[in-house]
Amino acid sequence: MQIVQDKNELNELHKSWRHHGEHVALVPTMGNLHPGHISLVELAREHAERVVVTIFVNPTQFGKGEDFEDYPRTLERDTRQLRKIGTDVLFMPDVETVYPFGIENATVVSVPGLTENFCGASRPGHFDGVTSVVARLFALVQPDVAVFGQKDYQQQLVIRHMTADLNLPIRIITAPTIRESDGLARSSRNQYLTAEERAVAPRLHELLETIGSELQNGKRDFQELESQAVATLEAAGFEPDYVAVRRAQNLEVPDRDCDEIVVLAAGQLGKARLIDNVVVTI
Ligand code: PAF
C-alpha cells in the first residue's frame, strides 16, 4: 500500500492505472477505521482493480461545539488495517490540498431539499461540508466508483443527488450497515459511550426493527409510529432527535401505496450522537 499526501503523486499513479485500463474505486473516510469501513473497502475491491481510501477529518462538516477536535485519530492502527486488506493507496491530503483557497474562500457545493430535514436540520451546514469535501475528493482521486455506508442513509442519498446533478461520471455504491452482535451499528462515535450507555445503545436498532415489522404487518399510521418511537427512545434514556418513516428513494413522506420505506432515527446518548436506519419493502 502506498501512502500518498501529494496530489501530483496521486495523479501520476492514476495516469499509470488508466494507461493499463484499470478502474479506480474510492472509499472516503475520516479514519478511526472499524469493521464498517473495512467492509466498504472490501466492496470497493469487487468493483475496481485499484482501491484508494482517503483519511481526511473534514473541518467543514463539523458544527460549532461538535467533536472536530476530539474526533478520534488513530492513524497507525488505520494504516495497519488498510495494508492487511490490500488497499492500493491511502491518500491523506492536508487541508491546503483539499481547500487550496482556504476554507473561508472555498466553493461550497450544496444540495437543496434533501438536506433540509433530519440530520440536516439538527446539524446546520453539515451536509454542505460533506458535499463540498466529497466533490473535492472526487476531483482529486477521479474514481470510477465510490462507496458509502448505508448507516449514513441521508448522506448517501445527498451524495447520489450531487453526483447525478453535476453529471459526475462516478458510480455510487451503498454498502450495508455493519453491526455489533447486539445490533448496534458500527460507528466511530460508539467509543464515546460509557458502559451503561453501551448497554442501552442497541435499543435504537431494536426499535427500528420493530417499526419495520409493524409496517410489514400492514400498519400505515406513520405519524403514530414516529411519535411512539420517540417516546420509547426517551424512556430508554436517549435524547431523541428524530424518528421518521419516509420514502426510501427521496425521504419524502410516503403515501399509503409506497412500497419501499426507510425508517430513520437519530438521538443523543451521553456524548454520542447515534444514527441508524432500516429499509423495508412493504
Ligand atoms: O461518512 C463520513 O465518514 C464522511 O462524512 C465522509 C463521507 C468521509 C466525508 O468527510
Side-chain angles (χ1 to χ4, degrees), residues 28-30 37 56 58 61 126 130 133-134 148 152 155 159:
T29 81
M30 299 204 297
H37 294 109
F56 179 69
N58 172 37
Q61 69 187 79
H126 167 68
V130 170
V133 78
V134 171
F148 297 86
D152 297 294
Q155 168 173 284
I159 289 167

